Amino acid sequence: MVYGVDRISRLPCDVIDKILVHMPLRDAVRTSALSWEWRYKWVTIPDLVFDQNLKGLLNGNDDPESIVDRTLLLHKGAITKFSITDSWIKSRSAVSSWLFILSDRGINSLEFLFPCKNSLQPTIIRLVTFNHLKHLYIGNDCEVKLSPLFRGFNRLARLELVGVNIKLQVLEILLSKCPMLEYLNLKIHVDVGDDEMKELPNKLNFLTVLEIGEIDFGWVESVAVLITLIKSSPNLQSLKISSDTYYNENCVKEYLKEQRTLNVRLKCLEYVNIHVVMGYPAEMEFVKNLLKLGNALKKVEMDSPLSSTDLDVSSMLEEFASFQRASSSSKAEIIVNTRYFGF
């Protein structure tokens, strides 16, 4: 009888790791059934990605939490990427316990994206210090908090908080402890309480791209978050805003007029995009602020609903042009795109 030669098992360990890391985690774990020699090959792979294939690891009464718990218990060595997506997590505290375990494993990238469940009890994510973390993504139906021992993310370059709840004070502390941040994506529900966001104690000197959603130009507290982030980012190059404004408040316009006199210069800002502009006075005043403070600004692009009967695009453009002619503001190109958004 002729037996085949097992060439894969004779490969160097680092080569086997590279093969396993390109397989879905479910299949990598299943290699443990190949032979006694392969039983624990998978426990050193550096990327742990729990996605829709996680169901293939469930047996009997298993739940996603128990699978992740066992994986972390068996894993040996460094973990550079940890990702959970498209998985229902029933325990509100499970993620916080995993973060504590992962904090000293050399993590570079963390991703948590859960299905929206419209729950009154969102998953709690209590952040701890990671010395090597460069990318953090948290999305959908989570509440972000900080551990009492949180000291920051000294190497974090990319932060994305999408569809999460966070208190204003927590957001201020978190951002002030990310000194190397280059890209920031915030689409969050901020609990401001009775406060307005104040200037961050530490500037975001490396931040070049800011994408922010859920901005209500009819609410001073919401606009204050946006203004504070812009003022704290002296080297910002690109700004993208998703607006969620349905009514006009004169107090917001007056607040923005006060900001125009501040000694702040956006010397690097080149591109601005605002999604869904209704032509409210507060929105117009905000754009004028950017034109006044951003001398390097090249293009301001706004998306407006085609279905709005109150929108007069030509009047908007003329008002901006008059402002540019009458002041030492940026001569940026201003574009208003009218589109049907299906409101």
Side-chain angles (χ1 to χ4, degrees):
M1 183 177 292
V2 178
Y3 294 94
V5 178
D6 182 2
R7 300 184 186 278
I8 295 181
S9 296
R10 297 179 182 179
L11 293 172
C13 291
D14 62 324
V15 175
I16 293 178
D17 283 347
K18 289 179 180 179
I19 294 174
L20 291 174
V21 82
H22 285 90
M23 300 170 65
L25 182 60
R26 174 196 62 188
D27 296 334
V29 172
R30 285 176 174 173
T31 60
S32 61
L34 293 176
S35 68
W36 180 89
E37 188 176 356
W38 276 84
R39 187 176 182 184
Y40 294 112
K41 291 284 189 183
W42 70 270
V43 301
T44 58
I45 60 176
D47 293 358
L48 297 181
V49 178
F50 301 90
D51 52 20
Q52 67 272 13
N53 293 310
L54 178 61
K55 294 179 181 179
L57 295 173
L58 299 178
N59 295 312
N61 296 322
D62 278 347
D63 54 38
E65 290 95 321
S66 63
I67 293 296
V68 176
D69 288 339
R70 286 205 297 270
T71 302
L72 291 176
L73 180 65
L74 293 171
H75 194 277
K76 309 294 181 183
I79 302 173
T80 56
K81 179 178 181 179
F82 184 86
S83 173
I84 298 181
T85 60
D86 301 320
S87 298
W88 293 102
I89 303 298
K90 297 178 181 178
S91 171
R92 296 183 69 210
S93 59
V95 176
S96 296
S97 66
W98 298 333
L99 288 175
F100 182 78
I101 296 171
L102 292 166
S103 60
D104 62 350
R105 304 293 289 273
I107 290 282
N108 288 329
S109 176
L110 279 173
E111 180 182 24
F112 299 100
L113 177 60
F114 303 115
C116 292
K117 58 184 179 181
N118 297 319
S119 172
L120 296 177
Q121 293 187 323
T123 301
I124 302 296
I125 297 186
R126 197 177 302 274
L127 297 176
V128 297
T129 300
F130 284 84
N131 292 323
H132 302 283
L133 189 64
K134 294 181 179 179
H135 176 217
L136 173 62
Y137 183 102
I138 303 175
N140 289 351
D141 207 26
C142 300
E143 182 176 356
V144 177
K145 298 185 177 182
L146 300 179
S147 162
L149 300 178
F150 180 75
R151 298 189 304 277
F153 302 132
N154 290 331
R155 299 186 184 182
L156 191 68
R158 190 179 182 95
L159 174 61
E160 300 179 80
L161 303 178
V162 179
V164 305
N165 301 318
I166 189 169
K167 290 186 176 181
L168 180 62
Q169 185 181 18
V170 173
L171 179 63
E172 290 174 339
I173 295 173
L174 173 60
L175 294 178
S176 66
K177 293 184 180 294
C178 299
M180 304 302 292
L181 208 56
E182 299 174 6
Y183 174 92
L184 178 60
N185 181 10
L186 295 178
K187 295 178 177 64
I188 55 180
H189 309 293
V190 182
D191 180 3
V192 299
D194 297 324
D195 299 324
E196 288 181 12
M197 191 172 187
K198 304 297 189 297
E199 189 168 351
L200 298 179
N202 300 314
K203 296 284 189 182
L204 302 174
N205 289 317
F206 292 92
L207 189 68
T208 58
V209 178
L210 172 60
E211 297 188 18
I212 184 166
E214 308 289 342
I215 295 299
D216 185 349
F217 283 97
W219 186 31
V220 170
E221 288 79 2
S222 177
V223 176
V225 172
L226 173 61
I227 293 296
T228 299
L229 291 175
I230 293 174
K231 286 163 48 180
S232 301
S233 310
N235 296 304
L236 192 64
Q237 297 177 13
S238 175
L239 173 63
K240 295 183 180 181
I241 302 167
S242 293
S243 173
D244 189 18
T245 307
Y246 296 100
Y247 61 93
N248 176 50
E249 286 287 351
N250 287 328
C251 60
V252 180
K253 178 182 178 181
E254 297 306 314
Y255 167 79
L256 287 168
K257 276 188 175 181
E258 295 174 4
Q259 305 304 308
R260 203 194 298 176
T261 62
L262 296 180
N263 187 25
V264 177
R265 281 287 172 263
L266 304 174
K267 62 181 184 299
C268 299
L269 185 62
E270 296 184 351
Y271 176 72
V272 174
N273 177 271
I274 307 176
H275 182 66
V276 188
V277 172
M278 304 296 292
Y280 292 139
E283 296 171 331
M284 302 291 286
E285 187 63 35
F286 174 73
V287 174
K288 291 176 183 177
N289 277 12
L290 296 180
L291 293 172
K292 180 70 175 179
L293 302 175
N295 292 329
L297 201 53
K298 296 179 179 178
K299 180 184 289 188
V300 177
E301 195 166 6
M302 293 169 277
D303 300 326
S304 296
L306 188 63
S307 58
S308 176
T309 57
D310 298 328
L311 188 66
D312 187 339
V313 173
S314 60
S315 295
M316 286 176 59
L317 293 173
E318 178 56 36
E319 184 173 340
F320 289 134
S322 297
F323 179 80
Q324 289 176 306
R325 288 194 298 266
S327 64
S328 58
S329 63
S330 164
K331 307 307 178 185
E333 178 185 11
I334 299 177
I335 301 172
V336 179
N337 302 309
T338 52
R339 300 173 181 173
Y340 180 71
F341 298 126
F343 293 152

